[in-house]
Amino acid sequence: MDIKYRNNNKEIFAPLKNSWLVATPEEIIRQETIQRLVTEFGYQLEQMDQERSVTNSKRGHGNARADIAIWKSEKDKKENNNAYIVVECKAEYIKLTKEDYAQGINYASWANAQFCVITNKTDWKYFKISKEKIFPENAIEINGVPHANELDNVKRIKEILDTEKFFSKDDFQRLLFDCHNVIRNNDKLSPEMAFDEISKILFMKIMFERDEKMIFSKRKFLEIKNQQERYDDKPFYQKLFDKTKKDFERDDIFEENATLRIREESFLDIVEKLQNYNLSKTDDDVKGIAFEEFLGTTFRGDLGQYFTPRTVVDFMVDILDPQEGELVCDPCCGSGGFLIRTFDYIKEKIVIDIQQAKNKIRKELYLDNYQNLSLEQQLEVNAHLNQCIIELEKDLDKDADIVEEGKKVPSRLKKLSSMCIFGTDAEPRSARTAKMNMIMHGDGHGGVHYHDGLWNINGIFEDRFDVIITNPPFGARVSKNFSVKLSELLPTNEKREFYEKKYGDAYKKAYQHTEKLFNSILSDRKKNNKKLEEVGEGVPLTSFFDTGEMSSLTEVLFMERCINLLKPGGRMGVVLPEGFLNGSDLQRVREYFEGKAKLLMVVSLPQEIFVSAGASVKSSLVFLKKFTEREQKLYDDIQKKTNKEINEKYQPQIEEKEKIHKAYWHEIQRLRAYAKDVKSIKTSKSEKDLQLMLNSGDINEATRKHKEAKAEFDKWKADLDKKIETEIKALVKDRFDYGLVMAQIDKAGITSTGQKTTNQLFELRDEFKQYRTHEGLWKSETFKFEYGVLKNGEYQRVPIKMVV
C-alpha cells in the first residue's frame, strides 16, 4: 500500500474514507499508521475504519472518534460487532504522555476493544484492556499486539497478553518483594544478603535487555543448563553471572570472586517472575519510585546507614543548585540518594528549557495572521514547526546522539546521564544499590563505582568537579599503620589507556601526581628508617593528606579529599558531626580548611533527623566554596603579609626578653673558655684542680640561672605566640571577610521514627536562594576584591552584609 499525495502534497488520500483530506501532521501520521498496519501487521483495509465513533456505554453517550479501529474480520465490521484493536494517532512532534494514553485507552474501553495502540510514528505503545476496571487500572502496557494471521491462535494471543509486560509501580514493588521472599524462604539469607542476590539478577536482566538476541527466560536458561551440564562442572547460572560481571567489569561494581549465593531453584523462580517484564522500556519514574520504596520499607532497619533522609537530600541539592553541564560527585554515595536527586534536578531544568523553547517556536510561527495564510503557507509553517520540535525532543532521549555542525554529539539528557554524575562507595552492597537505583531512575550510572572514595577512579580525580555533595562516614579513625601499595592506587594498563583517551591530559596529570607523591613518601620513609624490611612497599594512607598529621578521623580525610576534587571556585555541601565544627582537638583542621575554601552556610540539624537511618550523632550541614585561583592568591598574600606584620610588631619585645637568658648563656661560655685555659697552664696538679673546682662552681651557678631565665622566657614566649596567632587569625579574617549564614533547625521534615513532620528547611532554602542570588555566591568569581585589598600600603575594606 502506497501513500498518495496531490496538489503539491497539500492533500493526502485516505483509503478508509475513499477521499482526499488536508495533509495535516496528524493526518499524515494516521495514513502512515494505516500503511504499516497493512504492510507489517497484515490487516486488510476492509476490516478497518477511520475516525469511528465510539460511545461511553456506562454514561450512555459520547461523541469521541477513534482514529483507527480494527475488527477481527470484515464480517465483524459489517455486523457492527466490537472492534478488536483501537489505534490513537498523534503528530510526530508530540511526545506521548499519560494524557494521551488515557484518551486512547478510554476510546478502546468504550469500543469494548481488547487492545489499544498509541503512536506518534516514532514511538508505539501497546496496551491490553480490562473490561472489569476503569482507567488507569484497566490498561496494562504490553510488548505488542497480534498480527492479522494470529487472531485465531489462542496460544499466541495468550503469549502476547502475558509476555514482556512493562512494570506499573505496584507491579514492580510487589515483584521485588516476591523475589525477596523467595530468597528468604529458600536460602535463609538475611535481608541485606537477599538484596545482594536480587541486585545481581537485576544486573543480569539489564545485560540481557541490552542485546536483543539474548533471551531472559526460565525456558531458555533450562536449555542452556541442559547443554552445559554435558561439558561443565560449574553451574550454568554461575556462568551466566560470570558473564554479567564481565559485562560490568569497567564499572568496578562486583568483587572478582563474587558468585550467586542462592540455589538453582531460587534463581529460576526469580527469573520466571522477572521474564515477563522489561526494565529498559519501563517508565523511569515508575521503576525509580518503586525501587526506592522497596529499599525504604524492606531494608530501612538493616541498610539504614546507606540512607540520608530525603528532606536533607532535597535541601542540599536545592542549595547547591547544580546546573546542566556541571560535573557532580559524591565520593561516599551510599544508595545514591544525592546523585539521583541531582540527576532529577538537572533533568527537570532541561525539560522545562525544551518546553519553553517549543512554546517560543510556536509563538514565533503561529502569528496573528496565521488563519489568513494560504493552505500552502499553513502547511509550510506546520512542517517547519514539526521539524523544530522533533529536533528539540531528541535532546530528551538519554540514548541518542544528535548532529551539530556535521558532528555527532550526545543529546543533552545523554550527556547528563553518562558524562556528568559520578560516585563511589567502599562498601560493595551500597555501590551496587546506588548503581541499580540510578538505572531505575534513568541515569546512565557509568560513573558509579565500588571503590574507596579517597582514591581516584574513572573520571573521579583532583580539580575536576563543579559540585561535591556527600554524607561521609564519621566517627571512625584510620590506623596510622594502615598502608597502601602503588598498585592499589593505579588502574590497570587497559583502564588507564581507556581513561586517558576519554579524559585527556587532566587524567594523566592526576595519576602522575599520585605516582610522584607515593614514591616521594616511600623514599622518605626508607631514608628515615634503617630497617627497610619494616617499611616494605606500602605507605600509610594518612601520609597522602595534609590533615593526616593533624587527625586520622575519616571525616577529616574525606573533607580534604572533597576539597581536592573540586575545581577552583567549585562548591560543596557535606553532612558533618557537630564536633567537627566546635571540638577543640580539631582547631588546626578547621584552620586548614579556612585557608582552602569559604565557609558560606552552616545548618544545625535536630538530633532526631538521622535516628531513623540508624545514626545518633548530632549533625550539621556545611556548605563551602573552594577558593578560586585569585582568591587563593589573595588569601595567601594576606596571610603572609599579616604574619610578617604582626611578628615584626612583637620582635622588639622578644629581643628585649631574650637579653636575660642570653646574658647567662654568654657567661657560661666565658667560664668554659676560662676553664679550658686553666687546664693548659703548667702548674702543679693540686693548683689546677683547685682552679677547676672554683670555676666549676661558677659555671654551675650560671647554668642554673640560665635555665631559670630560659624557662621563664619560654613560658612568656609560648603565651606571646598564642597571642600572636590569635591576632593574626583575627586580622586575616578581618582582611579576608565574607558573609556566613548560621541556622538552627528544630524540625527537618522527619521524626526519629521516620514519620513526616514540619520542615523548616523549606523556608531556609527560599531565604538562602535570595541571598545566594543577590550575592552571586555560585558564580565562578564571587569574592569582592575591594574587601581586604592592599591600597597604598594599608588595607582598605567596606563592611560586607552578614546574614544570620
Side-chain angles (χ1 to χ4, degrees), residues 364-545:
E364 290 173 350
L365 291 177
Y366 288 116
L367 302 174
D368 293 338
N369 66 339
Y370 176 82
Q371 298 298 331
N372 299 326
L373 297 176
S374 67
L375 178 60
E376 182 176 357
Q377 290 172 323
Q378 288 183 355
L379 289 172
E380 287 177 0
V381 169
N382 291 341
H384 181 56
L385 173 64
N386 292 347
Q387 189 58 41
C388 289
I389 290 180
I390 288 170
E391 291 302 315
L392 286 169
E393 291 283 359
K394 287 180 182 177
D395 268 322
L396 293 178
D397 186 343
K398 67 175 182 292
D399 299 314
D401 290 313
I402 58 180
V403 178
E404 289 183 0
E405 298 179 357
K407 294 182 180 179
K408 275 189 176 183
V409 296
S411 68
R412 293 170 69 177
L413 200 57
K414 182 177 182 179
K415 184 177 180 182
L416 169 64
S417 67
S418 61
M419 301 178 187
C420 294
I421 297 179
F422 294 80
T424 60
D425 203 280
E427 208 287 322
R429 178 179 295 122
S430 59
R432 285 195 297 273
T433 303
K435 187 173 282 285
M436 181 56 65
N437 211 352
M438 295 189 77
I439 290 171
M440 296 303 173
H441 282 80
D443 181 79
H445 72 272
V448 177
H449 298 271
Y450 159 45
H451 194 72
D452 191 328
L454 294 172
W455 305 122
N456 294 343
I457 186 173
N458 191 350
I460 303 174
F461 50 85
E462 293 79 1
D463 298 320
R464 174 165 163 77
F465 291 94
D466 300 280
V467 177
I468 298 287
I469 180 168
T470 192
N471 180 0
F474 44 77
R477 292 185 180 273
V478 177
S479 169
K480 296 284 186 180
N481 297 322
F482 181 76
S483 295
V484 290
K485 296 180 180 179
L486 186 59
S487 58
E488 297 176 78
L489 306 180
L490 300 179
T492 62
N493 290 335
E494 184 269 335
K495 286 182 181 178
R496 188 165 184 169
E497 184 179 337
F498 175 82
Y499 290 131
E500 281 183 3
K501 186 176 180 181
K502 185 173 184 179
Y503 300 115
D505 289 340
Y507 180 89
K508 190 181 298 186
K509 181 181 176 182
Y511 276 95
Q512 287 173 345
H513 172 74
T514 299
E515 286 183 277
K516 185 177 179 180
L517 181 59
F518 179 92
N519 290 327
S520 174
I521 296 170
L522 185 61
S523 176
D524 288 344
R525 294 192 76 220
K526 289 183 175 179
K527 191 184 298 181
N528 298 325
N529 194 321
K530 295 178 181 179
K531 297 180 180 179
L532 294 180
E533 66 275 6
E534 293 182 3
V535 176
E537 294 302 319
V539 302
L541 184 150
T542 54
S543 64
F544 279 86
F545 298 89

Side-chain angles (χ1 to χ4, degrees), residues 161-212:
L161 291 170
D162 294 341
T163 303
E164 283 293 321
K165 294 185 293 184
F166 302 115
F167 295 112
S168 70
K169 181 175 75 67
D170 292 339
D171 281 340
F172 189 23
Q173 196 170 352
R174 185 166 51 249
L175 180 66
L176 291 172
F177 279 115
D178 288 346
C179 294
H180 173 258
N181 290 333
V182 167
I183 295 173
R184 291 293 300 275
N185 295 335
N186 292 357
D187 303 277
K188 312 303 180 187
L189 297 181
S190 64
E192 59 269 32
M193 292 177 72
F195 171 76
D196 283 347
E197 303 312 298
I198 293 171
S199 68
K200 290 172 185 175
I201 299 173
L202 287 174
F203 276 110
M204 186 184 297
K205 179 161 177 60
I206 289 166
M207 177 191 70
F208 272 75
E209 289 179 357
R210 287 174 176 174
D211 188 341
E212 295 180 356

Side-chain angles (χ1 to χ4, degrees), residues 785-801:
F785 284 91
E786 65 268 23
Y787 305 141
V789 174
L790 185 63
K791 294 181 180 177
N792 301 322
E794 296 294 334
Y795 281 98
Q796 306 291 327
R797 62 180 297 277
V798 179
I800 191 170
K801 180 183 178 183

Side-chain angles (χ1 to χ4, degrees), residues 309-323:
R310 183 62 181 266
T311 56
V312 173
V313 171
D314 289 347
F315 174 75
M316 292 179 71
V317 173
D318 286 351
I319 291 296
L320 292 171
D321 190 29
Q323 300 295 310

Side-chain angles (χ1 to χ4, degrees), residues 41-43 47 70-73 84-85 115 145-154 156-157 160:
F41 287 76
Y43 289 106
Q47 64 188 112
I70 306 172
W71 284 262
K72 275 192 170 185
S73 65
Y84 194 60
I85 303 172
F115 296 95
V145 294
H147 288 213
N149 60 1
E150 297 173 325
L151 295 179
D152 295 325
N153 188 332
V154 176
R156 175 58 183 153
I157 296 297
I160 291 171

